[in-house]
Amino acid sequence: MPEVPGQNAAPVTPSASPHRGVGVSDVTLRPIGFWGRRQSVNAEATLQHCLEWMERLGWIENFDRVARGETTTDRPGWQFSDSEIYKLLEAMAWELGRTADESLAATFDALVARVGAAQDADGYLNTAFGHPGLPPRYSDLAMGHELYNIGHLVQAGVARHRTGHDDQLVQIARRAADQLCEEFGATGREAVCGHPEIEVALVEAGRAFGERRYLEQARLFIERRGRGILPVRPLLSAEYFQDDIPVRDATVLRGHAVRALYLTAGALDVALETGDQALFDAVTGQWERTVARRTYLTGGMGSRHQDEGFGDDFELPADRAYCETCAGVGSIMLAWRLYLATGDVRYPDLIERTLFNVVATSPSADGRSFFYANPLHQREAGAAASDGVNNRAEGGVRAPWFDVSCCPTNVARTLASLGSYLASTDDEGMTLLQYAAGEIRAGGFVLEVETSYPDAGTVRVRVLDAPHAEARLRLRIPGWADAATVRVNGEHPSTVAPGWADIRRSFRSGDELTLELPVAPRLTWPDPRIDAVRDTVAVERGPLVLCLESTDLPDGVGIDDIQLRSDAVLTAHRDGALAQGEIIAVPASTGSLPYRADRSHSSDPRPVALSLVPYHRWAERGPATMRIFLPVTG
Amino acid sequence: MPEVPGQNAAPVTPSASPHRGVGVSDVTLRPIGFWGRRQSVNAEATLQHCLEWMERLGWIENFDRVARGETTTDRPGWQFSDSEIYKLLEAMAWELGRTADESLAATFDALVARVGAAQDADGYLNTAFGHPGLPPRYSDLAMGHELYNIGHLVQAGVARHRTGHDDQLVQIARRAADQLCEEFGATGREAVCGHPEIEVALVEAGRAFGERRYLEQARLFIERRGRGILPVRPLLSAEYFQDDIPVRDATVLRGHAVRALYLTAGALDVALETGDQALFDAVTGQWERTVARRTYLTGGMGSRHQDEGFGDDFELPADRAYCETCAGVGSIMLAWRLYLATGDVRYPDLIERTLFNVVATSPSADGRSFFYANPLHQREAGAAASDGVNNRAEGGVRAPWFDVSCCPTNVARTLASLGSYLASTDDEGMTLLQYAAGEIRAGGFVLEVETSYPDAGTVRVRVLDAPHAEARLRLRIPGWADAATVRVNGEHPSTVAPGWADIRRSFRSGDELTLELPVAPRLTWPDPRIDAVRDTVAVERGPLVLCLESTDLPDGVGIDDIQLRSDAVLTAHRDGALAQGEIIAVPASTGSLPYRADRSHSSDPRPVALSLVPYHRWAERGPATMRIFLPVTG
């Protein structure tokens, strides 16, 4: 059964999951709140910023060249640049689902028309392969990204359909999907794409358009993978492509982090739609081990610059943490599907952590520059970003655009569809998953949420309308909240443990719930098996990971000369914290190795007041050194 | 003035340095000693092993194809495969300088003839560029490695000349050097090669052949570099190529480690031959900061897999240490030149550390497999190496050959010429720099060295012949040797501090010096600024870094579950050590992040006896996990 266009304006709609995300049009965020502000900046600045860059670099004109029959090998952009246009179209589609901006609608239509003009008669669509002067179709499945590109096109088409339109983008996406099902179906090429993405897109297309064969094609791609099907080339291993172990046999995420996360989200979608319990269990097991052993305090994933990959268990260096912004988006994609299927609170807990400390970290306040990598320790202050195209993973400063520029559009589509992740409905009522100021209309409820979270821990939920019968309103109590309370109207507040706080009653308009979350700064200690941060400690405040920036240190004191006192009294300060530390001075040595027979190297420590700020806005006051985990003393 | 062939059979002969290395033919190592055994295995197995692999893969046939005019783009091997043949020729040349093996001489001549047949009339020699069906000469200076290849050819030619031959290889090398001086001279292309090596080779060629223009060309290459002269491409920065900062302005080594070390060795050679004190000071400053902040306990250099590069100061992760074997060779090249110029003991100290813990670590006992990367912590045991071509940096096991196979031939040429680095002469006499059983003939001395160092610390030096006049015999006392003694004949032993022990007298045949070095196991603590190994300790024994291998742990105990007691009593055990440790058990967690509100995670530690083995032979008993730095308790 195809979905009715506009009925289900959410990014993920598993047919069998007990929980459903709310539609993007069912949430109105206050532009002054933490997330409302970012969503507004995304709409007002980032979408246009991405469009302008891709126009300037010729990535959009690549489509015109195909349409004009003027393709050449000196085409600008990587072989995956088409996907950036598609991710921008997806972001615009969600944004148009929230608002009805005529100017944006016109921009969207014009861009769709240019994409559509490049589509071949049989549905094939690509600007880097398959046309005169370019390599043939599917001639480099390992690195050509042809199916990856179409995956993002299909996700854009699904977003358009779900937000109420059955127009040109939807038709382009479906024709492209049909073509590849023909090409790669059970009787076609027995191949997969080097970069997963088509799998998750095809399941979503199957749901949106009621086409079983899309789901079947996704299932085929999942089953084929992990059997050494992709040609290995020097310096790229099968693990990089997750082609080393069949998906259902793997026990942990590995290889290129974004590839691994997209693939696993697709595998979970296939498991859910086909009722494949073994595959579902494999994915949940992979998620659990990955979170317990290969995930950063920020929620970031990917420990290695080399291959942009996961590391071994507990290989979690702070300084060389890659934590690609796109891996954060991929982690949310996976955790969201797991939540909808299970209702387990661990998933929205990780989503919150990742939203506040990865997704919110990437864009600058003006929405026109971005972090690609998100290290937890910056040893040398970056140079100012170039106004031009920047190297993706270097610098320690947000940059307007990258040679590989996957992150800006990924942030854009996530922020445009953010409303969907804030709440869910099920047969018993509605669940508030994330706390942001605004109005939410779902499950028969209309709720007004008033909060300055995460700066403060008070969340007021006013019922503006409610179902007629008794219903359950469920609030998520984050894992770090050890003394939260909930008060219903004038009643005495109840202490609630991390997990879920359920209020079951006949709600009436005017009812008010008050949730108090303890957002005082707190110390967080790493597992001793994480060698890279042994005997250090981090400071968190509510969902925010804090950091120490060189900007806040006395002149001449380096970020790596600081220790935090283990008996430090932490106090809230603006949206960060104050604490007591020490400046240690390690004697300089030249020409002798930094290893000695004597354990103690540091001379008299000097006390210093430390001001810690939210990690998500580090480097906003100019290039700086920074660290999250501080060595501990006392 | 050209050198007389055979007069100066040493790898480096600065014209102005006060110290001179001894000739390879002046040292005869006992095949039973630590280095003698390795040099024998190199001669008897490794040279042939490398030859067979390069024949099998078609890297040698590439020269035949050029000679036959049958070059095509599907040529096997990377664009730098020619250099592997040249490095093997250099190794063979030194080996033939030590011994006069007729079979090896015939093999050498046949290989030289095949190389020579591929040389163009104007001296150009390359199998990947400049012939029909291949890209034009010098069409990819950033990554084409054309000058890099010729650099290694020239070094092979110099080795042949210095070991007493002025034959075909010497002529081939000189013609190739002449061609590139013509092409890249002051009035030619203002360019440099993406991979330094030609610089150091040209200075050596200038010394060996008395050609000032080779030196001048090297000087040009050094001066041009660091001004953004190489075309930057996506994902490769100017820093990677050391093209970001002029050599004389840089303060530390950075970018690709082997490139940086080769370049700096060449820059120092230029400084020495041109009397450029400012350049000399720049290089010594770079070395000092690099050693103090960017060097591993093993002497290894290169903290990053990404770009095979140096990291920032104190970015020295144990698990992801790259420490390419070739960077160890490059570090020895640089330190050796610095020693010859200054006589400073820090340089042979680092050479010893690097020889025992990087160079000796790479080859297996049979000389037929090699480590490319030399991490200080292996979290997951490697799979058995493939009998075929292996991925360069993965595995944790020695492999017979790599896709990028620079290390085996680099080890081979180093071991074949090792004798030169063991002692030096100057106007006052002779200095013993490294201790190995054998006979050394230099500076008017003939010395017999009897020792089982580093297993034991006793080194007996018997004077078999000596200069007629008073002379100085100088012994290096390593920086770690805090209670060494020297005894001359029957005299009372004198305690000598780290540095130099000088014995100045009229030596006579029959004199005997006895050096006692304290090789009892000892603890070594890392600088607290090295975050990756905070609150851990290493155990060393003499020049050897020891490690803990999973092979020596009880079943079911992981390498990362071990702590060393800070009050451990270390005792020597074979060539390693015994110590007391504890097994800690960190509760398993699934699905929750490895960060908690509570500092203490480990439950009751259980005592365990630890057996530590020399790092240089780790993984010899099969794939294993391993660590050098152990968390410390108590």
Side-chain angles (χ1 to χ4, degrees):
Chain A
M1 281 279 288
E3 295 171 4
V4 176
Q7 191 190 28
N8 214 352
V12 189
T13 62
S15 52
S17 291
H19 304 273
R20 298 172 293 280
V22 300
V24 294
S25 51
D26 300 328
V27 177
T28 308
L29 295 178
R30 287 225 198 115
I32 203 174
F34 187 97
W35 289 114
R37 190 165 68 245
R38 283 164 177 77
Q39 200 172 53
S40 299
V41 168
N42 186 55
E44 287 156 23
T46 303
L47 298 183
Q48 185 65 24
H49 174 87
C50 293
L51 187 70
E52 285 170 5
W53 266 99
M54 293 197 281
E55 198 71 274
R56 185 192 310 179
L57 295 175
W59 297 2
I60 303 178
E61 205 203 341
N62 282 336
F63 291 92
D64 307 337
R65 291 184 188 207
V66 171
R68 292 197 305 260
E70 292 173 3
T71 44
T72 57
T73 47
D74 64 349
R75 166 191 178 284
W78 290 95
Q79 58 272 48
F80 42 80
S81 68
D82 292 1
S83 73
E84 303 309 332
I85 286 90
Y86 303 150
K87 273 149 68 187
L88 178 60
L89 285 172
E90 183 190 339
M92 288 175 168
W94 293 123
E95 187 58 32
L96 288 166
R98 284 201 317 119
T99 61
D101 185 292
E102 283 183 27
S103 163
L104 180 60
T107 302
F108 176 86
D109 289 342
L111 189 53
V112 168
R114 289 170 75 183
V115 168
Q119 191 165 36
D120 290 358
D122 68 350
Y124 180 84
L125 180 51
N126 190 290
T127 72
F129 290 88
H131 299 100
L134 300 176
R137 289 182 185 184
Y138 311 123
S139 54
D140 182 13
L141 281 162
M143 290 302 284
H145 289 74
E146 283 165 280
L147 306 188
Y148 168 85
N149 287 333
I150 297 305
H152 279 301
L153 172 66
V154 168
Q155 286 205 308
V158 167
R160 185 65 175 165
H161 190 262
R162 292 222 177 111
T163 50
H165 306 268
D166 193 359
D167 56 4
Q168 191 184 3
L169 182 60
V170 177
Q171 302 314 319
I172 294 168
R174 295 191 62 170
R175 282 204 302 274
D178 291 343
Q179 190 275 330
L180 76 84
C181 288
E182 190 68 29
E183 187 86 26
F184 293 92
T187 58
R189 290 176 193 254
E190 199 178 331
V192 300
C193 181
H195 198 315
E197 158 63 23
I198 189 65
E199 300 80 1
V200 77
L202 283 172
V203 178
E204 282 278 87
R207 292 164 179 158
F209 308 132
E211 290 272 15
R212 184 84 197 168
R213 69 184 158 139
Y214 294 158
L215 171 61
E216 175 57 20
Q217 184 63 50
R219 195 190 64 75
L220 276 177
F221 284 141
I222 295 293
E223 291 303 334
R224 284 174 186 164
R225 206 173 198 93
R227 301 170 200 279
I229 197 170
L230 285 162
V232 172
R233 57 185 69 188
L235 311 188
L236 281 181
S237 66
E239 183 184 278
Y240 174 81
F241 300 112
Q242 294 76 46
D243 197 27
D244 53 338
I245 304 170
V247 179
R248 62 176 65 247
D249 298 337
T251 58
V252 71
L253 301 192
R254 71 225 172 275
H256 187 269
V258 176
R259 282 173 168 80
L261 287 157
Y262 284 12
L263 175 69
T264 311
L268 183 67
D269 266 348
V270 166
L272 293 173
E273 297 301 328
T274 61
D276 186 337
Q277 187 67 39
L279 183 58
F280 178 87
D281 292 345
V283 167
T284 53
Q286 291 165 29
W287 183 88
E288 287 180 350
R289 178 161 155 199
T290 301
V291 168
R293 293 165 181 243
R294 300 186 175 192
T295 301
Y296 283 94
L297 184 63
T298 55
M301 295 186 185
S303 304
R304 298 179 177 176
H305 281 238
Q306 182 70 45
D307 291 343
E308 308 188 301
F310 281 101
D312 292 335
D313 286 354
F314 301 112
E315 180 193 321
L316 292 162
D319 49 3
R320 292 292 283 173
Y322 198 67
C323 293
E324 184 180 339
T325 301
C326 289
V329 171
S331 171
I332 292 171
M333 284 167 55
L334 175 58
W336 181 242
R337 285 159 172 79
L338 285 163
Y339 166 70
L340 293 180
T342 65
D344 192 323
V345 73
R346 294 178 303 171
Y347 304 118
D349 268 10
L350 184 65
I351 289 172
E352 173 172 64
R353 183 173 287 277
T354 309
L355 281 173
F356 277 107
N357 301 294
V358 180
V359 174
T361 305
S362 177
S364 57
D366 72 357
R368 296 182 195 276
S369 59
F370 305 86
F371 275 133
Y372 187 112
N374 295 285
L376 282 72
H377 180 186
Q378 183 78 22
R379 291 179 180 274
E380 297 190 5
S386 157
D387 288 341
V389 173
N390 283 255
N391 227 328
R392 60 183 173 182
E394 306 304 331
V397 290
R398 293 174 184 84
W401 206 251
F402 303 94
D403 49 358
V404 174
S405 215
C406 41
C407 298
T409 54
N410 232 346
V411 168
R413 68 183 185 131
T414 304
L415 289 177
S417 60
L418 186 71
S420 283
Y421 300 96
L422 303 187
S424 66
T425 60
D426 56 37
D427 293 348
E428 297 190 67
M430 179 178 166
T431 302
L432 278 180
L433 295 163
Q434 310 295 343
Y435 301 110
E439 193 179 283
I440 303 182
R441 300 164 292 276
F445 284 97
V446 178
L447 303 180
E448 188 189 3
V449 179
E450 192 185 295
T451 185
S452 58
Y453 185 80
D455 291 0
T458 305
V459 181
R460 281 200 185 77
V461 180
R462 279 199 203 87
V463 178
L464 303 185
D465 200 0
H468 297 298
E470 182 179 298
R472 187 183 71 188
L473 196 53
R474 166 171 267 196
L475 306 178
R476 183 179 66 89
I477 312 301
W480 48 262
D482 59 359
T485 63
V486 175
R487 187 161 51 123
V488 181
N489 295 325
E491 295 169 14
H492 192 74
S494 318
T495 301
V496 285
W500 301 117
D502 290 350
I503 300 98
R504 194 184 305 267
R505 62 195 290 163
S506 292
F507 285 96
R508 294 185 196 172
S509 171
D511 280 349
E512 182 171 303
L513 312 182
T514 307
L515 171 64
E516 294 284 354
L517 293 170
V519 295
R522 65 189 188 277
L523 294 180
T524 301
W525 301 88
D527 188 294
R529 287 168 295 192
I530 308 175
D531 297 87
V533 290
R534 174 173 292 109
D535 280 351
T536 66
V537 70
V539 180
E540 296 188 282
R541 184 179 170 184
L544 301 178
V545 175
L546 306 186
C547 69
L548 181 63
E549 266 195 288
S550 54
T551 323
D552 294 312
L553 286 179
D555 283 349
V557 176
I559 197 82
D560 296 326
D561 300 331
I562 298 293
Q563 296 183 332
L564 187 70
R565 293 190 55 88
S566 62
D567 58 357
V569 177
L570 303 173
T571 51
H573 175 65
R574 298 186 188 144
D575 51 356
L578 296 178
Q580 299 83 48
E582 289 176 350
I583 300 169
I584 55 165
V586 181
S589 70
T590 54
S592 66
L593 292 161
Y595 313 96
R596 318 217 177 130
D598 174 14
R599 184 175 192 177
S600 163
H601 301 296
S602 55
S603 54
D604 311 327
R606 288 181 290 138
V608 64
L610 301 178
S611 176
L612 302 155
V613 298
Y615 172 70
H616 67 75
R617 60 183 179 79
W618 89 272
E620 281 202 347
R621 295 171 291 170
T625 55
M626 175 276 300
R627 59 188 301 164
I628 287 175
F629 286 101
L630 300 171
V632 77
T633 181
Chain B
M1 283 277 289
E3 295 172 3
V4 176
Q7 191 190 28
N8 215 352
V12 189
T13 62
S15 51
S17 290
H19 303 274
R20 298 173 293 280
V22 300
V24 293
S25 50
D26 300 329
V27 177
T28 308
L29 296 177
R30 287 223 197 116
I32 202 173
F34 187 98
W35 289 113
R37 189 166 69 246
R38 282 163 177 79
Q39 199 173 53
S40 299
V41 168
N42 185 56
E44 287 155 21
T46 304
L47 298 183
Q48 185 65 22
H49 174 86
C50 293
L51 186 71
E52 284 170 6
W53 266 98
M54 294 197 279
E55 196 74 274
R56 185 192 308 179
L57 294 174
W59 296 3
I60 303 178
E61 205 203 343
N62 282 337
F63 290 92
D64 307 337
R65 291 183 189 210
V66 171
R68 293 196 305 260
E70 291 172 4
T71 45
T72 57
T73 49
D74 65 349
R75 168 192 177 282
W78 289 93
Q79 59 272 46
F80 40 80
S81 68
D82 292 0
S83 73
E84 303 309 334
I85 286 90
Y86 303 151
K87 273 149 68 189
L88 179 60
L89 284 173
E90 185 191 337
M92 288 176 168
W94 293 123
E95 188 57 34
L96 289 167
R98 285 202 316 118
T99 60
D101 184 293
E102 280 183 30
S103 164
L104 180 60
T107 303
F108 176 85
D109 289 341
L111 189 53
V112 169
R114 289 170 75 182
V115 168
Q119 191 164 36
D120 290 357
D122 69 349
Y124 181 83
L125 179 51
N126 190 291
T127 72
F129 290 88
H131 298 100
L134 299 175
R137 289 182 184 185
Y138 311 123
S139 54
D140 182 12
L141 280 162
M143 291 302 284
H145 289 74
E146 283 165 278
L147 305 189
Y148 168 85
N149 287 333
I150 297 304
H152 280 301
L153 172 65
V154 168
Q155 285 204 309
V158 168
R160 185 64 173 165
H161 190 264
R162 293 222 175 111
T163 49
H165 305 269
D166 192 359
D167 56 5
Q168 193 185 2
L169 181 61
V170 176
Q171 302 314 320
I172 294 168
R174 294 191 63 168
R175 281 203 304 275
D178 291 343
Q179 191 275 329
L180 75 85
C181 287
E182 190 70 27
E183 187 86 26
F184 293 91
T187 58
R189 290 176 193 255
E190 199 176 332
V192 300
C193 181
H195 199 315
E197 159 61 23
I198 189 65
E199 300 81 0
V200 78
L202 283 172
V203 178
E204 282 278 87
R207 291 165 179 157
F209 308 132
E211 291 271 13
R212 184 83 198 170
R213 71 186 158 139
Y214 294 158
L215 170 62
E216 175 56 20
Q217 186 63 50
R219 195 191 64 77
L220 276 177
F221 284 141
I222 295 294
E223 291 303 333
R224 284 174 186 164
R225 205 173 197 95
R227 302 169 199 280
I229 197 170
L230 286 163
V232 172
R233 56 186 69 187
L235 311 189
L236 280 182
S237 65
E239 183 184 279
Y240 174 80
F241 300 112
Q242 294 78 44
D243 196 28
D244 53 338
I245 305 171
V247 179
R248 62 178 65 246
D249 297 338
T251 58
V252 71
L253 301 192
R254 69 223 175 278
H256 187 271
V258 177
R259 282 173 168 80
L261 287 157
Y262 284 12
L263 175 69
T264 310
L268 184 67
D269 266 348
V270 167
L272 293 174
E273 297 300 329
T274 62
D276 186 336
Q277 187 67 38
L279 183 58
F280 178 86
D281 292 345
V283 167
T284 53
Q286 291 166 30
W287 183 89
E288 287 180 351
R289 179 161 155 200
T290 302
V291 168
R293 295 165 180 243
R294 301 187 174 191
T295 301
Y296 284 94
L297 184 62
T298 55
M301 294 185 186
S303 304
R304 299 179 176 177
H305 281 238
Q306 180 72 43
D307 291 343
E308 308 189 300
F310 281 101
D312 291 335
D313 287 353
F314 302 112
E315 180 194 320
L316 291 162
D319 49 2
R320 292 292 282 173
Y322 198 67
C323 294
E324 183 181 336
T325 301
C326 289
V329 171
S331 171
I332 291 171
M333 283 167 55
L334 176 58
W336 181 241
R337 284 159 173 79
L338 285 163
Y339 166 71
L340 294 180
T342 65
D344 192 323
V345 74
R346 294 177 304 171
Y347 304 118
D349 268 10
L350 184 67
I351 289 173
E352 173 172 65
R353 184 173 286 279
T354 310
L355 281 173
F356 276 107
N357 301 295
V358 179
V359 174
T361 305
S362 177
S364 58
D366 71 357
R368 295 181 194 278
S369 59
F370 306 86
F371 275 132
Y372 186 111
N374 294 285
L376 282 72
H377 180 184
Q378 182 77 23
R379 292 179 180 276
E380 296 189 5
S386 158
D387 287 342
V389 173
N390 283 255
N391 226 327
R392 60 182 172 182
E394 307 303 332
V397 290
R398 294 176 183 84
W401 205 251
F402 303 95
D403 49 0
V404 174
S405 215
C406 42
C407 297
T409 54
N410 233 346
V411 168
R413 69 184 183 129
T414 304
L415 289 177
S417 59
L418 187 71
S420 283
Y421 300 96
L422 302 188
S424 66
T425 60
D426 56 36
D427 293 347
E428 298 190 67
M430 179 179 168
T431 302
L432 277 181
L433 295 163
Q434 310 295 343
Y435 300 109
E439 191 179 285
I440 303 182
R441 300 165 291 277
F445 284 98
V446 178
L447 303 180
E448 188 188 3
V449 179
E450 191 184 296
T451 185
S452 59
Y453 185 80
D455 292 359
T458 305
V459 181
R460 279 200 186 79
V461 181
R462 280 200 203 89
V463 178
L464 304 186
D465 201 358
H468 296 299
E470 182 178 297
R472 187 182 73 188
L473 197 52
R474 166 170 269 195
L475 305 178
R476 183 179 65 89
I477 311 301
W480 47 261
D482 60 359
T485 61
V486 175
R487 187 163 49 127
V488 181
N489 295 327
E491 295 169 15
H492 193 72
S494 319
T495 301
V496 283
W500 302 117
D502 290 349
I503 299 98
R504 193 185 304 269
R505 61 194 291 163
S506 290
F507 285 96
R508 294 185 197 172
S509 172
D511 281 349
E512 183 170 302
L513 311 182
T514 308
L515 171 65
E516 294 285 351
L517 293 169
V519 295
R522 64 188 189 275
L523 294 180
T524 301
W525 300 88
D527 187 297
R529 288 169 293 194
I530 308 174
D531 296 87
V533 291
R534 175 174 291 108
D535 281 350
T536 66
V537 70
V539 180
E540 296 187 282
R541 183 178 171 184
L544 301 177
V545 174
L546 306 185
C547 70
L548 181 64
E549 268 195 287
S550 54
T551 323
D552 294 311
L553 287 177
D555 282 351
V557 175
I559 197 83
D560 296 326
D561 300 332
I562 297 294
Q563 296 183 332
L564 187 71
R565 294 191 55 89
S566 63
D567 59 357
V569 177
L570 303 171
T571 51
H573 176 65
R574 294 183 191 150
D575 50 357
L578 295 178
Q580 298 84 48
E582 288 177 351
I583 300 169
I584 56 165
V586 182
S589 71
T590 54
S592 66
L593 291 160
Y595 313 97
R596 317 215 178 130
D598 174 14
R599 184 174 192 178
S600 166
H601 302 296
S602 56
S603 54
D604 311 327
R606 290 182 289 138
V608 63
L610 301 178
S611 175
L612 302 155
V613 299
Y615 172 71
H616 68 75
R617 59 184 179 78
W618 89 271
E620 281 201 348
R621 295 170 292 171
T625 56
M626 175 277 300
R627 59 188 301 164
I628 287 175
F629 287 101
L630 300 170
V632 76
T633 181

